[in-house]
Amino acid sequence: MIRCLLFISLLIHSTLGQKSAGTPSQKWLTLNGKRPLVVARGGFSGLFPESSSFANQLALSSSLPDTVLFCNLQLTKDGAGICLTDIRLDNSTNIGLVWPKGKKTYDVNGNKVHGWFALDYTIDQLFSNISLTQGILSRPSLFDFQSPISAVEDVVGIKPAQFWLNVQYDSFYTQHKLSPTSYVQKAMRAMRINYLSSAEIGFLKTMNGKVTAKTKLIFQALGADEIEPTTNKKYSELLQDLTSIKAFATGILVPKEYIWPVQADQYLGAPSTLVADAHKQGLEVYASGFANDFFASYNYSYDPTSEYLQFVDNSKFSVDGVLTDFSPTASEAIACFANSKAVSKPVKGQALIISKNGASGIYPGCTDLAYRQALDDGADIIDCSVQMSKDGVAFCLDSADLMADTTAMTSFMSRSNTVPEIQAESGIFSFDLTWSEIQTLKPQMANVLPDFHRNPAYKNAGKLTSLAEFLDLAKTNAVSGVLINIQNAAYLASKKGLDIVGVVTAALTNATFDKQSTQQVLIQSDDTSVLSKFASVPTYKRVLLFEDKMGDAPEQPVQEIKKYADAVAVTRTAITEVSGSFTSRSTNIVAEFQKANVSVYVYVLRNEYITLAFDYFSDPILEIATFIGGAGVDGVVTEYPGTASKYLSKCQKAKSVNFPAGNCERLRRGQITRDPDSPSS
């Protein structure tokens, strides 16, 4: 994990250096024209327990220099202030284990809430007995029980550039004879509070004449249908009267959906005019609810940096800041990717971007649309995994089994059978259908897991592509190269009388790929005998595919492999091993093969956060940076070429840095599992 923190810090600060050198007066569409702020909710709470010392310190060390630490205020029995979002301590601490009989029920702004509450305990009781835990169960429990609750003074004590105190429950604490107003007034005499926010208008009006110009008062809007306690009006209604809000606040903090609504189909709707309207009133706008490991919208293709850019770099407006659980990613988006549209192509000579079935994270794999998207997204090499029809037509599809990637089950279920030489499960195989029959099928989007759908509006979009059409597309668009993946050659020849090697050879010759060196031709197979048959064309680069996990590469097998291949394609965990959902060790695979002048390509990279080790902070850019900048691979095979292109186009300074994996080994518990190379991910 330390490796990744260093990587993201390098990405952010080196890019800031490049931009400051090249564009001394960069203009943003924020209210003051300056860069949007990154506001870290409870520090780096996407990985560590909220407001723990780990979370706060690492948010500052891995984010933009002016990152704001955000503390949600809760008051103890003796009036001390602690930082936790949920008024119920049992959601983010082990208090229920320490005092199992301490559960109570309180009326909180008209709602009956059951749990353990800070106002029932003194600060000494909490400090001496309670430890913080991760409040979101899908996040790692690795750092649970290692940190005490943080007082407000603890957070300010680590000297953040700016500090934000949020008072969400003024009425509740006042009813129980604890005064947030008095606490804040006293705190401001001892510390600087740059931002003071509340979801209660009464509190903000009370504080309006009691803060200096150095403290900004921010009105926090909750859900559209939730009721504000002072006025008994819905928050959505209150935001219709920004002039009134301006009378007691300098800005608003709103859930991001107020700005970019997400429709029922999980695609973005039209943006609201809230930011523009607020800016006309002189109000700053801060958007909340950002987290890499929560699904946001299909428009973002599981790339969290794309969501941040939608709010800060959309050519119409920019929010003045984002409140996030993953401050490193927000910093990366703002520092590396925003306001840099002039850089559109990766620098040649860097690692190759190789598509996997085209841009198959965006459109059904191996379709015309997937390939065109891959080209638009900056892929250097587009790929075709060649399958054969019964009548000898070669076409592109990930597997000989048509069931996963087409609608074959609806039309040809009677043709299903079991072919143990290819897979253990039964399937509907391409070599049992003619090409005309296959052309009646619709392509079908493949999903990583049942709950992680990809672009469902285009689930069956595009058409399947023959090998000849694929090669013509590559020629016409002058792509840097093609990768031809050959599967099941021995079975097809011996059992079906289909010469896939001969068909591929003829197709490449007909397209004159064997008579030129402008466009690379990569021939990939897991069968060395197949690769040997292409040795006679010196311009072809042969790639040996390893489908199993590997350890370190001993010298003798490397030299043996070199006889058949110019490159190898290996899984992600062959390079960086993963255990218990954290990276554990870097192997010597890349170094040993490159020492023998054998290129190394890593596969398959995906955006979905469930496929990433926790070390990568649910950020696919960070995984790409680790393999290219850290391990030094020669190419990445990805279902989202646009994400790799984004990194190579705009975050290049950290590409030569190398850090070892596995710094969390001694802490890891492995209670939550993400296996990047499992079949489901």
Side-chain angles (χ1 to χ4, degrees), residues 535-591:
S536 59
V537 184
T539 56
Y540 292 173
K541 189 170 186 175
R542 295 170 294 162
V543 183
L544 182 59
L545 175 68
F546 287 93
E547 296 183 328
D548 297 326
K549 297 179 182 180
M550 304 167 65
D552 292 318
E555 183 176 352
Q556 187 173 0
V558 170
Q559 293 302 322
E560 186 68 22
I561 289 166
K562 190 177 178 181
K563 296 177 183 178
Y564 305 99
D566 308 295
V568 293
V570 300
T571 63
R572 295 178 294 167
T573 52
I575 297 171
T576 301
E577 295 179 353
V578 174
S579 178
S581 303
F582 284 88
T583 61
S584 58
R585 187 179 78 94
S586 296
T587 70
N588 69 355
I589 287 285
V590 176

Side-chain angles (χ1 to χ4, degrees), residues 261-263 266-269 294-302 307:
V262 178
Q263 302 173 130
Q266 301 302 305
Y267 287 92
L268 291 177
F294 293 165
F295 176 78
S297 168
Y298 292 118
N299 295 77
Y300 304 131
S301 299
Y302 295 97
E307 182 180 21

